[in-house]
């Protein structure tokens, strides 16, 4: 820089002039000198170009962790202010504002509401560590928050959305059924079904009946109250189960809403029909035998494991297509009798081989256990038992398929009509079952 200025005198008497225009510079700051000369009209163009750089026209050593960079006076070097450095670093620091936190809390809580997983999972260290790695600045809500304020907010939001859908719907079909909780509290659900097939059925309300008896009058009162709530002309049909108190409630509701179409649940009707068939004398004993065979194997761990090994060997040899476990009969789920019978028939060879194993022979116990063991051996080797079981499987198979069809969301009333006509035709060879169908 001294090549472009003139210095006269020393100390306080020192005078600094521009070499090109003799402008007297009052500042001792070299950046001020450079600024003047770089913009001086009397200075050569090349001099002005060099001095307009942000750093002195000299060699600068810039040290890094891996090397030393040499920047000469022809290298343009733009310094980075501390403010810009902070701004660039902040781009790599995770931050969340209150709006983002509320949105993330909602998404996180919905995982629990929509999947039914326990709220306590939110407090597990693995979950919190995973969320922290995904978004370090975000702290996911606790189980207490999910069960409290967040649940209230989600319920309010869903209720508003549900009410909007119900208001926009021209017609609503109602399905109602009762159930008991583990605490033996009785509740009644009201589910709305829409004409638009793209819209899935929606749980609209659940009533805790408390000390109120579930007779026809009280059931009818709750149904009428619900219909009035959403519009007397909007609710066009009602479906319930086929219990006697429900049928009595139908008669009461029809007096208030004579144009309302009321039907019993068709799937429930088929389930009761299967119950009637299972109680026929010619089938009841054999069905009980099939249940006994299933229970004898599944109630004994060692026997079950040997049974599975026999199945695997049969599949490997091509004597069985696939391993299918034996199935218990579900309580009040009468259509599961078909699954029970079907699995016993499929595993006929495996059950016969099981009788000849040392594990089966080693089963001992009380006289009752010995009786069950001998009954199992006798049934497995009884040709008449297998023949009757095959007949029952043929009879129950259509009802099992029909229940699956009737429980679909897309099932129509016209389908039910055709299905029952098909049942009358399909069981025309069996007068006992035909009479049961007509009664139902």
């Amino acid at each position: 820089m001294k090549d472009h200025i003139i210095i006269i005198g020393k100390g306080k008497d020192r005078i600094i002039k521009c070499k090109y225009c003799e402008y007297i510079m009052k500042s001792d700051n070299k950046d001020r000198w450079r600024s003047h000369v770089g913009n001086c009209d009397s200075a050569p163009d090349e001099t002005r170009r060099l001095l307009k750089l942000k750093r002195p026209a000299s060699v600068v050593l810039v040290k890094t962790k891996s090397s030393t960079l040499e920047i000469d006076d022809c290298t343009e070097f733009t310094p980075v202010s501390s403010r810009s450095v902070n701004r660039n670093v902040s781009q790599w620091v995770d931050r969340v504002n209150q709006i983002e936190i509320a949105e993330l809390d909602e998404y996180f809580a919905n995982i629990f509401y929509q999947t039914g997983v326990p709220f306590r999972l939110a407090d597990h260290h693995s979950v919190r560590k995973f969320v922290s790695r995904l978004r370090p600045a975000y702290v996911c809500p606790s189980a207490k928050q999910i069960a409290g304020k967040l649940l209230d907010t989600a319920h309010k939001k869903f209720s508003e959305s549900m009410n909007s859908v119900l208001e926009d719907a021209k017609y609503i079909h109602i399905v109602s059924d009762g159930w008991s909780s583990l605490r033996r509290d009785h509740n009644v659900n009201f589910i709305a079904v829409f004409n638009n097939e793209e819209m899935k059925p929606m749980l609209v309300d659940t009533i805790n009946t408390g000390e109120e008896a579930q007779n026809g009058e009280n059931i009818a009162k709750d149904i009428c109250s619900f219909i009035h709530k959403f519009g007397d002309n909007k609710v066009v049909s009602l479906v319930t189960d086929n219990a006697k108190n429900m049928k009595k409630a139908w008669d009461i509701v029809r007096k208030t809403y004579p144009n309302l179409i009321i039907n019993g649940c068709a799937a429930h009707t088929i389930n009761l029909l299967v119950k009637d068939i299972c109680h026929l004398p010619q089938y009841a004993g054999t069905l009980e035998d099939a249940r006994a065979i299933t229970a004898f194997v599944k109630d004994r761990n060692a026997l079950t494991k040997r049974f599975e090994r026999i199945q695997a060997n049969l599949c490997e040899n091509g004597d069985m297509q696939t391993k299918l476990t034996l199935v218990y009969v579900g309580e009040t789920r009468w259509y599961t009798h078909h699954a029970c019978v079907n699995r016993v028939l499929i595993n006929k060879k495996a059950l016969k081989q099981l009788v000849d194993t040392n594990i089966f022979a080693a089963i001992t116990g009380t006289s009752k256990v010995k009786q069950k063991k001998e009954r199992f051996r006798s049934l497995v080797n009884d040709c008449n038992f297998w023949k009757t079981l095959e007949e029952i499987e043929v009879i129950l198979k259509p009802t099992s398929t029909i229940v699956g069809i009737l429980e679909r969301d897309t099932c129509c009333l016209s389908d039910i009509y055709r299905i029952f006509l098909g049942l009358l035709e399909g069981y025309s060879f069996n007068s006992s079952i035909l009479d049961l169908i007509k009664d139902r």
Side-chain angles (χ1 to χ4, degrees):
M1 190 63 210
K2 292 180 180 179
D3 294 337
H4 307 290
I5 60 173
I6 301 172
I7 301 176
I8 303 172
K10 295 180 180 181
K12 294 182 180 180
D13 298 328
R14 186 176 68 167
I15 297 175
I16 302 171
K17 290 184 179 182
C18 174
K19 179 180 177 180
Y20 306 106
C21 69
E22 296 188 352
Y23 172 79
I24 298 174
M25 302 179 194
K26 298 178 180 180
S27 174
D28 291 335
N29 191 314
K30 291 183 180 181
D31 287 339
R32 296 283 183 90
W33 302 351
R34 189 181 305 108
S35 177
H36 168 79
V37 178
N39 292 287
C40 183
D41 293 335
S42 301
D45 293 340
E46 183 65 17
T47 299
R48 283 187 294 170
R49 187 186 71 79
L50 291 174
L51 294 178
K52 281 183 178 180
L53 298 175
K54 299 294 185 181
R55 281 289 181 266
S58 59
V59 175
V60 179
L61 297 180
V62 180
K63 292 185 177 180
T64 66
K65 289 183 178 180
S66 58
S67 62
T68 301
L69 304 177
E70 186 177 288
I71 304 175
D72 60 21
D73 58 358
C74 294
T75 302
E76 292 191 10
F77 182 82
T78 304
V80 181
S81 67
S82 60
R83 180 177 299 178
S84 63
V85 170
N86 291 335
R87 184 167 59 251
N88 291 336
V89 170
S90 67
Q91 294 176 0
W92 302 97
V93 177
D94 188 30
R95 290 191 178 92
V96 286
N97 56 40
Q98 292 301 316
I99 296 176
E100 289 177 310
I101 290 174
E103 185 179 23
L104 291 171
D105 284 351
E106 180 183 352
Y107 291 151
F108 186 77
N110 281 338
I111 295 174
F112 297 86
Y113 306 148
Q114 296 177 11
T115 63
V117 296
F119 290 173
R120 65 177 180 273
L121 185 64
D123 291 336
H124 197 279
H125 64 89
S126 296
V127 173
R128 304 193 79 80
K129 186 175 181 180
F130 176 74
V131 174
S132 177
R133 290 287 291 172
L134 283 177
R135 194 71 188 270
Y138 172 67
V139 179
C140 59
S142 64
K144 185 176 181 181
Q145 291 173 311
I146 292 173
K149 183 178 178 181
L150 289 172
L151 180 59
D152 294 338
T153 302
H155 179 265
K156 181 181 178 181
K157 185 175 181 180
F158 177 79
S159 298
E160 292 174 351
S161 175
M162 179 188 68
N163 291 332
S164 176
V165 171
L166 293 172
E167 288 176 4
D168 294 340
K170 186 175 181 180
Y171 299 114
I172 299 173
H173 309 270
I174 299 300
V175 178
S176 180
D177 195 13
W179 58 280
S180 297
S181 68
L182 294 175
R183 296 173 54 189
R184 308 302 299 169
D185 292 332
H186 188 265
N187 303 280
V188 178
N189 288 344
F190 289 95
I191 298 172
V193 182
F194 305 93
N195 289 342
N196 185 355
E197 292 184 359
E198 295 180 359
M199 294 185 64
K200 293 184 177 181
M202 180 185 298
L203 175 64
V204 177
D205 199 5
T206 298
I207 299 173
N208 187 303
T209 58
E211 299 179 0
E212 188 177 81
Q214 286 301 284
N215 52 40
E217 291 77 10
N218 289 331
I219 294 172
K221 181 187 69 175
D222 291 338
I223 292 173
C224 290
S225 176
F226 182 84
I227 293 173
H228 181 72
K229 178 180 177 181
F230 290 98
D232 295 348
N233 297 323
K234 182 170 286 191
V235 178
V236 295
S237 71
L238 170 70
V239 176
T240 70
D241 63 30
N242 303 277
K244 290 183 179 179
N245 56 348
M246 279 295 181
K247 290 182 178 180
K248 184 176 180 180
W250 295 354
D251 296 334
I252 299 172
V253 172
R254 284 193 179 103
K255 293 177 181 178
T256 307
Y257 301 101
N259 296 325
L260 185 68
I261 300 173
I262 303 177
N263 292 292
C265 176
H268 185 237
T269 300
I270 296 298
N271 190 45
L272 295 176
L273 174 63
V274 176
K275 175 185 176 181
D276 296 338
I277 294 173
C278 291
H279 284 164
L280 289 174
Q282 61 267 41
Y283 305 130
T286 305
L287 287 169
E288 181 58 36
D289 291 339
R291 291 197 295 269
I293 287 175
T294 299
F296 190 83
V297 176
K298 292 182 73 68
D299 290 350
R300 293 166 176 80
N301 183 63
L303 199 63
T304 299
K305 294 303 177 184
R306 177 56 64 89
F307 176 70
E308 291 173 353
R309 203 168 99 189
I310 293 172
Q311 283 182 313
N313 292 335
L314 289 171
C315 289
E316 187 176 345
N317 296 332
D319 295 325
M320 280 183 68
Q321 293 183 348
T322 183
K323 288 174 58 178
L324 293 174
T325 184
L326 300 175
V327 176
Y328 284 117
V329 172
E331 185 180 359
T332 72
R333 299 294 185 266
W334 292 94
Y335 57 85
T336 57
H337 275 80
H338 173 260
C340 176
V341 170
N342 179 258
R343 294 298 176 85
V344 171
L345 284 170
I346 289 174
N347 289 288
K348 180 179 178 180
K349 290 183 179 179
L351 291 168
K352 285 192 171 186
Q353 289 187 21
L354 187 64
V355 173
D356 298 327
T357 62
N358 58 346
I359 291 182
F360 181 83
I363 295 176
T364 58
T366 62
S367 59
K368 189 174 182 180
V369 173
K370 292 178 181 179
Q371 288 176 2
K372 290 181 178 180
K373 179 181 176 181
E374 291 306 314
R375 181 186 182 187
F376 183 92
R377 188 201 306 273
S378 175
L379 288 171
V380 168
N381 294 313
D382 186 354
C383 295
N384 290 329
F385 165 74
W386 292 109
K387 183 179 179 181
T388 307
L389 205 63
E390 289 173 357
E391 294 176 1
I392 295 174
E393 199 275 337
V394 171
I395 289 172
L396 294 182
K397 185 176 181 179
T399 59
S400 179
T401 305
I402 288 170
V403 169
I405 295 172
L406 295 177
E407 288 183 343
R408 294 174 186 169
D409 294 339
T410 55
C411 182
C412 298
L413 283 174
S414 57
D415 295 333
I416 297 170
Y417 181 72
R418 285 194 295 268
I419 285 170
F420 275 88
L421 286 179
L423 283 174
L424 290 171
E425 183 178 351
Y427 288 109
S428 58
F429 65 92
N430 192 314
S431 58
S432 298
I433 297 178
L434 203 60
D435 291 339
L436 294 176
I437 296 172
K438 291 177 180 178
D439 290 341
R440 289 293 174 185

